[in-house]
Amino acid sequence: EVQLVESGGGLIQPGGSLRLSCAASGFTVSSNYMSWVRQAPGKGLEWVSVIYSGGSTYYADSVKGRFTISRDNSKNTLYLQMNSLRAEDTAVYYCARDSRGDPQRRGAFDIWGQGTMVTVSS
Amino acid sequence: DIQMTQSPSSVSASVGDRVTITCQASQGISSWLAWYQQKPGKAPKLLIYAASSLQSGVPSRFSGSGSGTDFTLTISSLQPEDFATYYCQQANSFPITFGQGTRLEIK
């Protein structure tokens, strides 16, 4: 079965760090583009970051310099290292398979994890 | 950044109704547009990719159209399970951006 399972969320103080994980099954993370998308409580969806199959990475301006996307090919797992966390980073974080590598699918996110909640508060 | 504007922000409709949601991009995005459905407490679900292609497993009452800057999502005959929030998303250029969402409620 093709699925993504996030973990690592929790309550963290402002300025702290957290690493989210996204374990994939049924497909290979390193052969796909993978993104993180977040959703603040009661708000809409916000794209955070993407890692290409070739290793290139891109970030939203709101997290650039603070967050780092990476993957462990041996574990078939995607990560998001979040540093210098702020209250406005409070959200459910989803990992998603980004179909940008398939020209016919035009960058749609076709597989999503269930999400992990990150709360930044003192 | 490309701004995605959905309308309406919310709509009330009845089972069996035809509903159309629009999404306008602030600049041309060709067909780099997707539509998602999200229910409370759940992850978004892909409905339409490349503006008009139906994702596998999605009922045929969902359809998408448009190219360039103007796009629509149509639900031909609402079913009880369709009441949810719908988002459009552009992937033409970074940063990837979503519309603000359209909440579809039962009348």
Side-chain angles (χ1 to χ4, degrees):
Chain A
E1 181 187 7
V2 174
Q3 67 173 353
L4 294 167
V5 178
E6 299 98 335
S7 60
L11 175 63
I12 187 77
Q13 291 189 339
S17 297
L18 209 56
R19 189 179 80 159
L20 306 183
S21 300
C22 170
S25 56
F27 71 98
T28 303
V29 165
S30 62
S31 299
N32 286 272
Y33 294 10
M34 298 294 297
S35 275
W36 287 96
V37 176
R38 68 184 180 183
Q39 187 170 37
K43 303 298 184 181
L45 301 167
E46 179 189 17
W47 172 78
V48 172
S49 180
V50 64
I51 183 166
Y52 283 10
S53 53
S56 298
T57 59
Y58 297 88
Y59 299 91
D61 285 347
S62 58
V63 306
K64 199 173 295 181
R66 300 188 299 123
F67 289 12
T68 303
I69 191 171
S70 65
R71 66 189 180 214
D72 184 328
N73 297 344
S74 67
K75 295 182 178 179
N76 206 29
T77 298
L78 178 74
Y79 299 102
L80 186 67
Q81 177 67 43
M82 304 185 295
N83 299 331
S84 302
L85 282 161
R86 306 167 180 167
E88 54 264 36
D89 296 319
T90 294
V92 174
Y93 285 74
Y94 298 101
C95 59
R97 188 172 74 176
D98 182 332
S99 67
R100 182 177 298 270
D102 180 347
Q104 291 191 351
R105 296 184 72 81
R106 302 293 175 105
F109 298 146
D110 60 354
I111 302 169
W112 294 69
Q114 84 287 354
T116 187
M117 183 71 203
V118 173
T119 303
V120 184
S121 175
S122 55
Chain B
D1 298 5
I2 297 176
Q3 308 302 318
M4 305 299 292
T5 304
Q6 287 182 234
S7 62
S9 296
S10 65
V11 57
S12 295
S14 301
V15 173
D17 283 355
R18 179 184 181 91
V19 170
T20 297
I21 299 168
T22 66
C23 179
Q24 185 170 58
S26 60
Q27 62 190 75
I29 59 170
S30 184
S31 59
W32 288 78
L33 184 105
W35 289 98
Y36 301 89
Q37 176 193 69
Q38 187 179 33
K39 295 182 178 179
K42 300 294 186 182
K45 172 187 174 183
L46 177 64
L47 301 175
I48 301 288
Y49 63 91
S52 60
S53 296
L54 191 67
Q55 173 70 354
S56 176
V58 173
S60 59
R61 62 181 179 273
F62 292 91
S63 64
S65 65
S67 183
T69 60
D70 296 299
F71 302 86
T72 61
L73 172 71
T74 300
I75 310 171
S76 60
S77 178
L78 277 172
Q79 298 301 300
E81 60 268 29
D82 299 338
F83 293 95
T85 300
Y86 293 84
Y87 294 93
C88 61
Q89 170 237 333
Q90 69 82 21
N92 181 74
S93 63
F94 289 117
I96 296 167
T97 48
F98 292 86
Q100 81 278 15
T102 295
R103 185 173 179 181
L104 177 52
E105 301 173 317
I106 301 173
K107 184 183 286 185

